[in-house]
Amino acid sequence: MHSIYENLAYWIKRNVVPKSASIAHILRSLLVVLLIASALEVFVFNFNYFASAGLNTIDLHDRIDLPEDPDENFRLTSYDHSLEFYNLNSEVKNIRVDFVLSQPAQNVTLAIHFTDSAHLAYFDSTEYTVGVPDVVVATSSLQSQYINLNTSGIVENLSIEVVEADEGFPILLNTVELNAHHPFSFSWLRFTICIFVLLLILIFRPSSAVYRIGILDDPLASKAGIISAVVVECMLVTTFLFFGSNLVGVATANYNYGEWDGYSIVNTFEVGGDNAQQYAELARSMAEGKLYLEEEPPQWLQDMNDPYDKGARDQAQKETGEDYLFDVAYHDGHYYVYFGVVPVVLFYLPFYLLTGANFPTAIGVLIAVLAFILGTSALLDRFARYHFKKVSLGIYLLLQIGLIASCGILYLVKFPTFYSLPIACGLAFSVWGLYFWMRGRHSRHRCVCFLIGSLCMALVVGCRPQFIFLSLLAFPLFWRPYITERRITTKRGIKEFACLIAPYLVVAAFIMAYNHARFGSFTDFGANYNLTVNDMTKRGWNIGRLAPAFFTYFLQTPNTTGVFPFLQPTDFSTTYMGQTIKEVTFGGIFACFPILWIIFFARPIVKIRNAQRSTRTITGVIIVLVLSGIAIALMDAQMAGILQRYYADFSFMFLAAVVLLVFIVNENLHQETSSFAYRHRRGALRANMRHMFSRWRYRDYIHDDKALSGSRAVSRRSNAGIAPISDSLSRGLLTKTLIVLVALSVIYSTLLCLTAETGWYSDVYPWAYHDLLELFLFWT
């Protein structure tokens, strides 16, 4: 029997030594990445340290005329919160407002004015100029206390005024310094982010080997790459969710320790207000055999003729002083939850029965989002391995990353509330349902796959009913084998078709019974009884809402500023002379996600596919996806309004269509190895681009019958001077274009995740958020 050493030596000799050159190249590349990241962190991100090293610091402590506390700290109060320094007669490159770090953390907004060689008096913004902008300083952040000034020559007078304090006065101040020396700060977080970005550039550069690894030709390497990418994505999503600690609802000795019970390893607590506990309260009621919430509505609400009129409710609440639950369904003297019931049965009820505590909603959102990432990756892998033979690992990862980043789930993770949970669950069930449908089409265990797939697709009705549109994909997927080819007339076909239909019937029966028990109607989910900002019982459908919604959801350009993270809520204007339900949004998907621009070339691309296949399955799938996305977006606007989280309802459909379109194009860009093709590739590319995008005609492409059995498609033109579109230059053009489109889409999604919003981390812990921004605003 061989020893462990001998087995290890044999494995290294067989698997490592032949690849020693590649391993050495990878190690050199990683070393270069570490060196570049270190250089950026030391010399670029800390350039203020080097720029201020030779300055002569002037301490203005003795010139501050403010009251002091017993610890000899100056006190800025609501009556005395400005500092004036005259006759400085010095060049001023920066100032340091040295707040006492031990005081309660808060953001302080400072208005700074100065006179210099170009200004004999303080200057402000005018019609044609912009004065010195206000600056935000976090009292708990050392880096933010250093403020660079752009003065002209000698500074005579300087004014510093506190114009806003988040937590109020007094504010404790140590001193003010001119030309202060910036401290050197090596941020491990920024260093890690820099390494991650450089690795992405290294991996996805156009010449990377990742584009030469075939999903089908090299299954081991491709699976390893896909699994690695999924693991990294799940880790990033999890980290981002727990970053927003105010919305997570779990506490330990070191995390949300203010809510820790003092003895448990981890405990849960309520977040988000009273109406955010709807799912948890419904679980408690279900445990006692009731379908309505236990809390009794106030008598004034039960006595109202129209309890759905918000103005009347607010007036009655003001007169009686009794509160009511907001954003719940009210019917027949009881509160109900109109959101899908599946998340309650899946998470809240079992958790309550086991622990007696409320299930933390954010954890449910995280589980659903991680399931969506896994399901999406499996679904794309299924298409790449079994329906498109030429997909490389690089193309797959670009599309997978672009879809995950752009489909709206990151915004659900940013706000992991009970509003986000049904959407996240609906997305997760949808992708897994589609995966098992696709798997079942070519599996020996079709019935099992169809049962699981249809069960997942049916359950979306109990999460987010809008996603039922994805069930229409059953028509292009199953029409040919079961209807055209009449498989449904066979005994086995009937059994398989029954497995496709049965889960829908069972789930529909349960949901209809649930609806009837609550509202006396099999089809009424209770949304019209919602106590919200408008009367849903009279909202109806109005065509005037469609144009503003279509523009906002699809076409509106993002609103940007020149300060990180750059994005701002977009403006909204409409000529619809009625009430529009609108929360902040950040631009339409086609304006913000360039990867979706590929949809505009869908017609010529699907013509290529149709010319090569006797079936139209992929074409039908693309059409259903696009039409479903449009329908869901407009239905959302009619039924509920225009909200940023609703982008997750329909963005996936368009992105999935883009994936299939890119797969089609990639399938037709084979690598040519002949010398003739190499000599004529540029001329062929120009001819084909003219042919593709100017004339939009593909009727002359002829596909060899052998393609139907999986062999390479052969395209011919009657004009012998034009070569097929399969060309290495075309492949490179596709790769580079896809890299740019995906990169821009991912950048937008990342910035949206970091944009300050009401109710998020930036609003609850503004000083900590500002400290985070200082990592990126290193030049200020």
Side-chain angles (χ1 to χ4, degrees):
M1 183 176 180
H2 296 290
S3 66
I4 295 177
Y5 173 80
E6 289 174 332
N7 287 327
L8 181 61
Y10 174 77
W11 184 85
I12 292 175
K13 182 178 180 180
R14 183 172 180 177
N15 297 282
V16 178
V17 174
K19 300 178 181 179
S20 57
S22 299
I23 295 174
H25 175 71
I26 293 174
L27 293 177
R28 286 195 299 270
S29 299
L30 293 177
L31 179 60
V32 170
V33 166
L34 288 174
L35 291 176
I36 294 175
S38 300
L40 289 173
E41 179 62 32
V42 172
F43 298 106
V44 177
F45 301 140
N46 277 284
F47 97 97
N48 277 323
Y49 167 77
F50 297 99
S52 63
L55 299 178
N56 294 320
T57 301
I58 303 173
D59 193 336
L60 300 179
H61 183 277
D62 295 337
R63 302 178 66 172
I64 297 176
D65 185 17
L66 287 175
E68 296 185 63
D69 65 5
D71 295 326
E72 298 184 352
N73 296 316
F74 297 107
R75 293 169 57 87
L76 292 162
T77 66
S78 57
Y79 301 101
D80 194 358
H81 51 263
S82 62
L83 304 171
E84 291 277 354
F85 304 101
Y86 300 101
N87 303 318
L88 295 175
N89 196 30
S90 302
E91 288 190 7
V92 178
K93 300 298 183 182
N94 67 62
I95 62 175
R96 180 192 179 190
V97 184
D98 185 11
F99 290 110
V100 176
L101 296 177
S102 60
Q103 65 185 311
Q106 66 170 317
N107 279 355
V108 176
T109 303
L110 303 179
I112 299 175
H113 296 88
F114 56 82
T115 63
D116 56 16
S117 299
H119 306 87
L120 296 180
Y122 295 149
F123 56 96
D124 290 305
S125 298
T126 67
E127 183 179 0
Y128 304 104
T129 65
V130 177
V132 180
D134 292 347
V135 61
V136 177
V137 176
T139 59
S140 59
S141 172
L142 180 63
Q143 288 291 331
S144 72
Q145 296 180 3
Y146 294 81
I147 305 165
N148 290 338
L149 295 183
N150 300 108
T151 61
S152 299
I154 301 298
V155 173
E156 287 292 333
N157 303 322
L158 176 67
S159 169
I160 303 173
E161 179 184 3
V162 177
V163 295
E164 184 178 355
D166 290 350
E167 302 298 328
F169 298 93
I171 303 171
L172 303 181
L173 176 71
N174 284 322
T175 187
V176 173
E177 295 178 345
L178 306 180
N179 299 325
H181 295 159
H182 280 260
F184 182 86
S185 175
F186 191 98
S187 170
W188 288 103
L189 174 60
R190 187 168 54 197
F191 180 65
T192 303
I193 293 173
C194 190
I195 290 177
F196 181 72
V197 172
L198 290 173
L199 286 176
L200 288 179
I201 295 173
L202 177 67
I203 294 171
F204 292 106
R205 71 190 191 281
S207 61
S208 173
V210 75
Y211 302 107
R212 297 190 291 274
I213 300 175
I215 293 289
L216 191 62
D217 297 334
D218 198 343
L220 183 61
S222 61
K223 288 180 180 179
I226 292 172
I227 292 173
S228 299
V230 170
V231 169
V232 171
E233 289 168 348
C234 291
M235 291 174 59
L236 291 175
V237 167
T238 303
T239 301
F240 179 55
L241 181 135
F242 281 100
F243 172 74
S245 58
N246 60 296
L247 294 171
V248 174
V250 296
T252 69
N254 299 310
Y255 180 77
N256 283 332
Y257 53 84
E259 300 291 341
W260 185 48
D261 60 17
Y263 58 89
S264 302
I265 297 176
V266 58
N267 65 270
T268 64
F269 63 96
E270 295 181 1
V271 295
D274 293 336
N275 72 315
Q277 311 307 319
Q278 294 183 37
Y279 272 157
E281 293 302 321
L282 179 57
R284 293 177 183 270
S285 296
M286 284 183 167
E288 298 180 4
K290 295 179 291 188
L291 299 179
Y292 53 83
L293 303 184
E294 292 184 353
E295 181 168 341
E296 191 77 14
Q299 189 60 44
W300 63 260
L301 185 65
Q302 302 180 45
D303 295 339
M304 290 185 67
N305 293 327
D306 184 6
Y308 307 107
D309 185 338
K310 186 177 187 301
R313 288 200 311 270
D314 291 346
Q315 182 63 30
Q317 180 185 19
K318 183 178 179 180
E319 293 174 355
T320 63
E322 295 182 81
D323 293 333
Y324 70 96
L325 289 183
F326 180 76
D327 216 4
V328 299
Y330 172 74
H331 180 72
D332 197 23
H334 294 293
Y335 289 131
Y336 294 90
V337 176
Y338 70 91
F339 293 92
V341 70
V342 169
V344 178
V345 178
L346 191 63
F347 297 118
Y348 292 83
L349 184 58
F351 189 84
Y352 175 72
L353 293 177
L354 289 173
T355 67
N358 293 349
F359 178 77
T361 301
I363 303 303
V365 173
L366 178 62
I367 293 172
V369 167
L370 295 183
F372 171 78
I373 294 174
L374 293 172
T376 299
S377 303
L379 180 62
L380 298 191
D381 181 77
R382 187 77 194 178
F383 272 105
R385 291 186 192 277
Y386 294 93
H387 300 279
F388 297 93
K389 308 298 184 183
K390 301 297 180 181
V391 179
S392 69
L393 176 61
I395 295 295
Y396 171 92
L397 290 179
L398 282 174
L399 293 171
Q400 191 262 6
I401 292 172
L403 191 154
I404 296 298
S406 307
C407 69
I409 62 166
L410 296 183
Y411 196 81
L412 302 182
V413 173
K414 183 177 183 179
F415 290 98
T417 65
F418 80 103
Y419 293 105
S420 299
L421 183 56
I423 303 175
C425 289
L427 282 169
F429 280 124
S430 295
V431 293
W432 278 110
L434 291 174
Y435 169 77
F436 281 106
W437 273 1
M438 294 301 301
R439 186 181 180 89
R441 292 174 78 236
H442 302 284
S443 173
R444 290 180 298 177
H445 308 287
R446 289 189 178 186
C447 287
V448 175
C449 290
F450 287 168
L451 276 172
I452 298 174
S454 292
L455 178 62
C456 290
M457 298 301 286
L459 286 174
V460 303
V461 180
C463 300
R464 188 69 170 170
Q466 289 91 320
F467 288 123
I468 195 64
F469 273 92
L470 284 174
S471 292
L472 297 177
L473 290 171
F475 288 96
L477 291 177
F478 301 115
W479 185 270
R480 181 180 62 84
Y482 289 96
I483 305 301
T484 304
E485 297 178 0
R486 303 182 64 81
R487 184 180 177 87
I488 197 174
T489 60
T490 66
K491 182 178 180 180
R492 186 173 181 83
I494 293 174
K495 182 179 179 181
E496 293 167 358
F497 193 76
C499 291
L500 282 171
I501 299 299
Y504 281 96
L505 299 179
V506 173
V507 172
F510 276 104
I511 292 179
M512 292 171 70
Y514 176 69
N515 289 338
H516 188 270
R518 296 186 301 163
F519 307 119
S521 170
F522 292 112
T523 58
D524 193 343
F525 286 81
N528 286 338
Y529 306 125
N530 185 20
L531 300 179
T532 184
V533 295
N534 65 312
D535 189 343
M536 296 291 292
T537 62
K538 301 179 178 64
R539 180 173 175 83
W541 289 64
N542 193 308
I543 194 173
R545 300 191 191 109
L546 297 182
F550 187 88
F551 175 76
T552 303
Y553 277 143
F554 295 117
L555 304 178
Q556 187 169 25
T557 55
N559 184 19
T560 60
T561 65
V563 179
F564 185 87
F566 309 120
L567 293 181
Q568 296 291 326
T570 55
D571 298 326
F572 180 78
S573 299
T574 180
T575 57
Y576 172 69
M577 303 301 289
Q579 187 179 40
T580 299
I581 309 303
K582 172 71 167 61
E583 293 183 3
V584 295
T585 57
F586 295 87
I589 58 173
F590 285 100
C592 300
F593 299 115
I595 189 176
L596 292 178
W597 298 348
I598 297 173
I599 284 183
F600 299 129
F601 301 98
R603 183 172 179 266
I605 293 174
V606 297
K607 279 191 173 183
I608 296 176
R609 182 74 176 184
N610 293 342
Q612 298 171 341
R613 297 290 189 274
S614 61
T615 62
R616 301 291 184 269
T617 302
I618 296 297
T619 301
V621 169
I622 293 172
I623 292 173
V624 170
L625 286 171
V626 173
L627 294 182
S628 297
I630 296 173
I632 291 174
L634 298 182
M635 286 179 59
D636 278 349
Q638 287 286 3
M639 294 187 299
I642 304 172
L643 290 77
Q644 184 66 37
R645 66 174 176 271
Y646 290 172
Y647 283 67
D649 283 342
F650 54 84
S651 297
F652 169 78
M653 287 72 166
F654 296 99
L655 290 160
V658 165
V659 170
L660 295 177
L661 292 172
V662 174
F663 279 173
I664 293 172
V665 174
N666 180 77
E667 195 78 357
N668 288 272
L669 296 179
H670 306 319
Q671 183 73 33
E672 291 292 335
T673 58
S674 67
S675 59
F676 176 84
Y678 178 78
R679 291 193 302 269
H680 295 279
R681 63 183 182 180
R682 294 184 182 275
L685 176 64
R686 287 194 294 269
N688 282 296
M689 293 298 287
R690 288 197 302 270
H691 183 62
M692 287 178 62
F693 301 116
S694 298
R695 301 179 63 189
W696 308 96
R697 296 173 58 196
Y698 293 86
R699 64 171 61 100
D700 294 326
Y701 280 88
I702 302 173
H703 178 60
D704 197 331
D705 291 338
K706 293 182 180 180
L708 298 178
S709 60
S711 61
R712 175 180 292 187
V714 180
S715 299
R716 295 195 294 264
R717 289 272 298 162
S718 59
N719 186 343
I722 296 182
I725 61 173
S726 53
D727 184 273
S728 60
L729 188 60
S730 300
R731 181 181 291 275
L733 180 61
L734 171 67
T735 300
K736 293 175 183 177
T737 301
L738 197 58
I739 291 172
V740 173
L741 297 181
V742 171
L744 292 175
S745 302
V746 172
I747 289 172
Y748 170 85
S749 296
T750 303
L751 295 177
L752 180 57
C753 289
L754 296 176
T755 299
E757 290 190 68
T758 301
W760 186 53
Y761 184 82
S762 58
D763 182 40
V764 179
Y765 305 112
W767 61 90
Y769 174 72
H770 188 75
D771 200 25
L772 174 68
L773 295 184
E774 287 292 326
L775 296 179
F776 303 95
L777 300 172
F778 58 90
W779 59 87
T780 59

